[in-house]
Structures are given as C-alpha cells and as structure tokens.
Amino acid sequence: MLVLASKHISMKKSYLSIQLWSWMNAVVSFDLYTKKIIKDKKSKYDDKILKEQEAKNDPRVLNLIGEMFFNGDYVDQNYATSASYFEKAAQQDYTSALLNLGIMYEEGYFFPQDLKKANEFFMKAHELGDDQGTYFIAVNLQYGHGITQDINKSIDFYLRAFEINPQNFKALESAMQVSLSVEFFDKAEQVCRKLVQYNPNNSSYWITYKQITAYNKNYKKTLLAISELERINGESTSLKLEKSAILQELNDIENAIKILVEAH
C-alpha cells in the first residue's frame, strides 16, 4: 500500500516538471521565448522580457514563468519566486497554478508542508472542472493523505476525473484497481466495462473483464470477453478451454463438448 501511495505522489511531483514543455506551443504565441533562447538552450532569460510578460497578467504566462523558476529552466531555480508567480495565476482561478501550489504545499517546496492546504488547492481545481485536481483528490482520499481516508469517495472522484476528461484512462484504471483491492467486484466490473468500451482493442482490459465477470458469475459477459480476445489475438487452445468451461456453467453442454473437442 505504501509503495503504491509513493508512486502516486511521485506522479504529482513530476507534474511540475513536465508542464513547461506541454505549454511550449502556447508560450511561443506569447513571445515568451526568443529565437535565441530556443536555439541556444544554455542562454539565461532576459529579466526585461520576463517583466514585460508578467505585466500582461495572463495567468497562462504567469504560471509558465513560475514553472521556469521551479524547474530552473533558463533562469536560476528559485522556489520562492516560483510560488509568487503561481499565486498570481491562481488568483485568476487558473487551475494549473492551483495544482502547482497544491503540490508545493504537499511536498514542502518553499512552503512548510501542509497537506490540508494542498488538498484545498486540489479541491478548488476540481471545482473549476480540472480532471487532474479531481484525480489528486481521489489519490489522497484513497490513502488518507492529508484528508480522511474514504475509499468510496476515492472511487467516485476517480470516476469524476474520467467524466471530466474521457482521455484520462489512468483515472478509470485507478477506480478499477481500488474497487478490486477492497473487493467491490460489482463496481470493478462496471468500471472495467467502460475501459473496454473506450479501448476495444486492449487485450489486457478484456482479460481483466473476463476474470471479473467470471468471478461475478456473469458468464454471458465472460463469453463476450473471450470472443473479443479471440478477435484481438486469434483463437487459442486456452481460450477454447475457458469458453468450454463457461458454457458448462451456462448448462450449454452440447456446445461445451463441441469446443472441448476442437481444443484437442
């Protein structure tokens, strides 16, 4: 459990490090990078340009400058300066800045570590419709990190994160894994069904769906999973044997025997 928790927290720590590059296209449109800096990555940033960009009071730019200072990209690393830019962007309800501040409080960068404060920033980002803020709250609810542990709410927040951003499959995977860990097998089946609906060619999801539905004795759904695995990976002896066993559970003895013979 502790290993998983640290893994999730490390993911949050890396959030600050990767955001700078994810905004590169937006940055160019703000003229934040000069051609010289893009060409020569060893160049230091011109303070005059920083001040000009800061004066525009665009939260995206303010947050980006904060990330530059946090990571030490083109400027000397300075967590205090980084935090001040994040705060200016957060005052305009810019969710990336809210998340960045939350991470700084959670990890104790510049600010004294304050898990309650961190969750306040994550929650505000969630309330503003940010799937990452929702995901971070789900993680902290799962492990009781600065907030009362609540597995049911954790699963709910993971699912909300996916609803906000249907590309956030990590949220769905987490909801399924948590459901399985506490033996909420009906919930796990529902979540896994969404995973295979959105990723119909992912054999690992279908294998999990096959196993969960068999455990829940929803054998017709198990047969569906086996058929999809045959579609993706081709027929195999092992899948035929599994199909034969499931057909026996459904009292379809004739077809169970037929497939069993084919398997041999």
Side-chain angles (χ1 to χ4, degrees):
M1 186 67 78
L2 289 175
V3 173
L4 288 173
S6 63
K7 179 181 178 181
H8 281 293
I9 293 166
S10 296
M11 179 204 69
K12 285 193 253 183
K13 289 172 69 176
S14 68
Y15 178 87
L16 275 163
S17 299
I18 65 175
Q19 287 304 294
L20 176 63
W21 303 110
S22 69
W23 280 104
M24 273 296 290
N25 292 331
V27 173
V28 172
S29 67
F30 296 133
D31 295 322
L32 189 54
Y33 284 93
T34 63
K35 291 182 179 178
K36 179 181 178 182
I37 290 177
I38 292 176
K39 184 177 180 181
D40 181 6
K41 293 184 178 181
K42 294 182 180 179
S43 298
K44 287 293 182 181
Y45 207 88
D46 188 335
D47 287 341
K48 182 179 178 181
I49 297 176
L50 274 179
K51 294 299 181 184
E52 288 174 354
Q53 296 298 325
E54 180 182 354
K56 295 179 181 179
N57 202 36
D58 187 310
R60 291 171 293 182
V61 175
L62 294 171
N63 182 68
L64 185 59
I65 295 173
E67 289 169 354
M68 289 172 63
F69 278 103
F70 185 91
N71 294 314
D73 290 313
Y74 310 117
V75 294
D76 293 328
Q77 189 176 51
N78 189 315
Y79 290 149
T81 303
S82 174
S84 70
Y85 279 105
F86 290 151
E87 287 173 336
K88 290 174 183 177
Q91 286 170 4
Q92 300 182 55
D93 287 343
Y94 190 59
T95 57
S96 290
L98 290 167
L99 294 178
N100 288 339
L101 282 172
I103 293 167
M104 291 189 77
Y105 273 102
E106 188 171 66
E107 299 300 325
Y109 290 116
F110 176 62
F111 303 108
Q113 189 178 46
D114 188 332
L115 302 182
K116 181 179 179 181
K117 188 76 172 177
N119 282 314
E120 288 175 0
F121 281 111
F122 296 150
M123 183 60 76
K124 186 171 183 181
H126 155 69
E127 290 169 351
L128 289 168
D130 186 279
D131 68 298
Q132 284 296 325
T134 308
Y135 185 90
F136 289 169
I137 288 292
V139 171
N140 288 347
L141 282 167
Q142 180 182 351
Y143 297 108
H145 193 66
I147 194 170
T148 302
Q149 186 179 42
D150 191 320
I151 296 300
N152 284 313
K153 283 187 178 179
S154 173
I155 295 170
D156 183 49
F157 269 84
Y158 280 129
L159 294 175
R160 288 189 202 179
F162 177 75
E163 289 173 4
I164 294 169
N165 178 12
Q167 298 303 312
N168 192 342
F169 295 115
K170 181 63 179 175
L172 266 189
E173 290 175 354
S174 296
M176 181 180 68
Q177 290 166 1
V178 175
S179 298
L180 288 172
S181 71
V182 292
E183 300 184 353
F184 292 172
F185 295 115
D186 288 340
K187 175 65 73 173
E189 180 179 324
Q190 293 170 17
V191 176
C192 194
R193 180 59 183 167
K194 287 187 178 182
L195 281 169
V196 296
Q197 285 176 334
Y198 281 88
N199 301 272
N201 295 317
N202 188 311
S203 60
S204 64
Y205 289 158
W206 280 112
I207 289 171
T208 303
Y209 188 67
K210 172 179 64 107
Q211 294 169 337
I212 296 172
T213 54
Y215 183 88
N216 288 341
K217 298 184 179 180
N218 291 324
Y219 295 127
K220 290 184 179 180
K221 293 179 180 179
T222 308
L223 285 177
L224 170 64
I226 293 172
S227 296
E228 290 297 319
L229 286 168
E230 289 177 331
R231 175 184 64 81
I232 297 168
N233 301 320
E235 293 184 351
S236 68
T237 300
S238 61
L239 285 175
K240 285 182 178 180
L241 291 174
E242 288 185 79
K243 184 184 287 187
S244 176
I246 295 300
L247 287 169
Q248 289 180 59
E249 293 290 345
L250 291 170
N251 291 318
D252 188 349
I253 304 303
E254 182 179 346
N255 282 315
I257 294 173
K258 179 180 178 182
I259 292 174
L260 189 60
V261 171
E262 290 176 2
H264 291 84

